[in-house]
Amino acid sequence: DIQMTQSPSSVSASVGDRVTITCRASQDISNWLAWYQQKPGKAPKLLIYAASTLQSGVPSRFSGSGSGTDFTLTISSLQPEDFATYYCQQAYRFSLTFGGGTAVGVK
Amino acid sequence: EVQLVESGGALVQPGGSLRLSCAVSGFSLSDSSMDWVRQAPGKGLEWISYISSSSGTKYYADSVKGRFTISRDNAKNALFLQMNSLRAEDTAVYYCVSDYGGIPNYYDFWGQGTLVTVSS
């Protein structure tokens, strides 16, 4: 299986901060990567797919980049509603796999 | 409006069985492959199974292979997960998910989840 490693596992930030989360795949997955946001007690929400394509309705402060094995999710100016846990997911091959998650909390 | 509604979660003893259902509305199930994803309490997301639109192709995570069976009834717009030989580590919220209308394997539709607790 393809292993997905996210870092950091948690980050403390303030409203207005720029936040960057990284995800590394154990092998080349081209651009077959998605990012999800999950809030407590809720189902995850798709933010970005194909590494850099913003899902419809997602604010433009979210952006994704990368290809091959190294990927990044950036929140350009953190908003109060962005405090949540973020997961990457490889869509390249079954078994599909998720990263361990990055919790974005209040500094 | 697309809706996925899971049901069937319960408290079950180790070694027991349970069948989860997912009722789909807002699109025809025959137009979409479907998956199950689970999340243990306080833990991350784990993909566990996939079924193609015609049921011709199925995949399972190693952690459930041989114990869980995914199926669907397109006429009833319903997805199922038969879980046998349940273990404590199967305790989780189970989500049915769909990539309907989008690119395969990117899940833009999720149910609210149903909780399965395996404990004596």
Side-chain angles (χ1 to χ4, degrees), chain B residues 45-68:
Chain B
L45 301 167
E46 180 187 16
W47 171 87
I48 57 171
S49 189
Y50 161 94
I51 185 168
S52 64
S53 57
S54 64
S55 301
T57 300
K58 300 177 184 180
Y59 297 115
Y60 299 93
D62 287 345
S63 58
V64 306
K65 198 173 295 182
R67 301 187 299 122
F68 290 12

Side-chain angles (χ1 to χ4, degrees), chain B residues 1-7 19-34 36 51 53 55 71-80 96-98 100:
Chain B
E1 180 191 8
V2 171
Q3 281 197 314
L4 309 177
V5 180
E6 303 93 338
S7 60
R19 189 193 198 207
L20 304 184
S21 299
C22 174
V24 173
S25 61
F27 69 94
S28 174
L29 190 63
S30 60
D31 291 337
S32 178
S33 60
M34 298 291 292
W36 288 95
I51 185 168
S53 57
S55 301
S71 63
R72 60 196 291 157
D73 185 335
N74 286 345
K76 295 183 178 180
N77 256 25
L79 175 71
F80 306 101
C96 69
V97 299
S98 170
Y100 174 72

Side-chain angles (χ1 to χ4, degrees), chain A residues 81-101:
Chain A
E81 60 267 31
D82 301 336
F83 291 101
T85 300
Y86 295 84
Y87 295 92
C88 62
Q89 174 231 329
Q90 65 85 9
Y92 181 74
R93 176 187 300 159
F94 289 100
S95 299
L96 305 180
T97 42
F98 291 87

